[in-house]
Structure formats: C-alpha cells, structure tokens
Amino acid sequence: MGKALPTVAPLPFDPAEFHGLDGPAAADKRTRLSLEGEDADLDAAIASSLQDCMPPSGCVDDEVSRGARRQRSDVRSETSNIHAYTDSIRRTQEIEFQQSLEEDQMKERLLAAEEERIALQRALEMSEEEERQRIRRNKEAELASEPSSNEPGVVQLALRFPDGARRSRFFRGTDTVQTVMDFMHIHGADPCQHTIALSFPRRVLSDPSQTLAAIGIEQQTVLVVEPK
C-alpha cells in the first residue's frame, strides 16, 4: 500500500474572499458593518414597539389629573358627609336640650302651682279654723253661766265625744237642747256634723227648742255625741 496523505484542515475563511481584491480584512469589515446594521434595525424596531405601547405624554398627564380630581372629590364628599353628620348630631342635641328645658319649665310651673294651691289651702284652713274659733268664743260668751250643784232642778250631764273624751257640766232643767249643743260645739263638735243622743234608751235629741225637763232628764245623765 502507498503512504497516506495528511488531512488538510479547513481554512477559517472563504478562499474566494481571500483571493479578492481586498483580502480577508475586507471580509471582516463587511461582516461587522452587516451586524451593526442589523443592531440598528433591531433597536429601531424595539423603540417603535415601546412607543406604540406607551400612551402619549398628554394621556399620562390627563390620567394623573383625573386621579387627583377623583381623590379631591372623594375628600370633599367625605368632608361633606362628616359635616352633615355633625349638623345632625347638633340639631338632635339642640332638640333634646329644648325638650329638656321645656320639661323643666313645666315641672317648675306645676311645682309653683302646687305650692300656691297648698298655700291657699292652708290659708283657707286657717281662715276656717279662725272662724270656728270665733264662733266657739261667741257661743261660750253667750252660754249661760253654770249653775250651782245645790240649785233646785239642776242636773249634771256628761257628754261622751267620738274620740273618747268626756265633758261634764251642770244644767238647769229649763235649759234647752240648743244650750247643750252649744256646750258640745265649744268643745269641738260642730252641730252641723254631730248629734246628741241618750244612751239608754237610745234617742237622738233632734229638737233644739226642747227643755231638759220636757225630755225627762232629771238626774245625772250621759249623752253620746255622734257624727251625722
């Protein structure tokens, strides 16, 4: 066999280009220019794409402005709501205060009216009591003097009042039932509201003009004072 020929490594450049007029250096230059051109085109395409995606500067400003206006509107609305709520609370408080004031004034008027009524009632009661005292004094002054127990025809009467009190006095047989009623009145029992009755047998002495002798009272007797 013959001797094998050594394998020739491929050339790192195109021989045609090497044999051109400019040689390998010119080929490298052309390659770089081509890549630079492609980079410029790619940059231009990217910039154009980004330009298409981005809104115009005026649109951005409008969006910011609208957001600010919405925020201000929301703040104004919230402030208005707070003012309305505050005004509502104030009006409610004013109404409640006015109602409370009117209630207090009404209570004061009622209290003043009640105090006036009590004062008038007391004055009336005092006037009535004074009138009763005056009548009692007059009856006591008009009542005949009490006779002596040794005087002929004299009887002793004991009046028993509703409260259990007893009042005794000597009367003449010629004295009338009215005289006994005046004595009863002097000691607090108004004849308009009370009667005098014999205890046994029970009999109401209703005729003030009758004398004690005519009734048959000739000795010590107990008379009962009763409410009508």
Side-chain angles (χ1 to χ4, degrees):
M1 294 179 65
K3 186 178 182 181
L5 295 176
T7 303
V8 179
L11 295 176
F13 56 87
D14 186 359
E17 292 180 356
F18 179 79
H19 291 291
L21 294 177
D22 296 330
D28 292 339
K29 182 176 181 182
R30 286 194 296 270
T31 301
R32 287 195 302 271
L33 291 174
S34 175
L35 293 176
E36 290 176 356
E38 292 178 358
D39 291 343
D41 293 340
L42 179 60
D43 292 341
I46 292 172
S48 176
S49 177
L50 292 176
Q51 186 67 25
D52 293 338
C53 294
M54 292 293 291
S57 59
C59 294
V60 174
D61 293 341
D62 290 343
E63 182 65 25
V64 173
S65 178
R66 283 195 296 271
R69 286 197 297 272
R70 283 196 298 270
Q71 185 176 7
R72 288 194 297 271
S73 176
D74 293 342
V75 171
R76 286 195 297 270
S77 177
E78 183 176 357
T79 302
S80 177
N81 292 337
I82 293 174
H83 289 168
Y85 178 70
T86 304
D87 292 341
S88 176
I89 292 177
R90 183 171 59 253
R91 286 193 297 271
T92 301
Q93 291 175 342
E94 290 175 353
I95 293 173
E96 291 177 351
F97 174 77
Q98 185 65 28
Q99 290 176 346
S100 177
L101 180 61
E102 291 176 357
E103 290 176 358
D104 291 340
Q105 291 174 347
M106 178 61 69
K107 290 179 181 178
E108 291 177 358
R109 288 193 294 269
L110 292 176
L111 180 60
E114 180 64 15
E115 291 176 349
E116 183 178 1
R117 186 193 67 78
I118 293 175
L120 291 174
Q121 182 66 25
R122 288 177 179 173
L124 180 60
E125 291 175 355
M126 291 178 62
S127 177
E128 291 176 350
E129 180 61 25
E130 290 175 356
E131 180 63 16
R132 286 192 293 267
Q133 292 291 345
R134 186 187 66 80
I135 293 174
R136 290 173 187 172
R137 288 193 298 268
N138 291 340
K139 288 187 177 296
E140 187 174 6
E142 295 172 358
L143 188 64
S145 60
E146 184 177 5
S148 171
S149 60
N150 298 325
E151 186 177 331
V154 171
V155 295
Q156 185 179 18
L157 299 180
L159 275 65
R160 187 173 64 199
F161 289 81
D163 60 358
R166 296 171 69 97
R167 297 288 186 271
S168 297
R169 187 182 188 275
F170 289 102
F171 291 87
R172 298 179 177 87
T174 56
D175 289 334
T176 63
V177 173
Q178 182 63 54
T179 304
V180 180
M181 294 176 68
D182 290 343
F183 176 74
M184 176 189 72
H185 197 181
I186 291 170
H187 290 282
D190 190 343
C192 295
Q193 301 174 357
H194 297 81
T195 60
I196 298 175
L198 292 168
S199 59
F200 186 80
R202 186 181 181 283
R203 182 172 54 143
V204 176
L205 306 181
S206 57
D207 186 358
S209 63
Q210 277 188 310
T211 64
L212 299 179
I215 294 173
I217 300 176
E218 298 177 351
Q219 58 183 357
Q220 185 176 357
T221 304
V222 176
L223 300 178
V224 181
V225 178
E226 299 175 338
K228 289 185 176 180

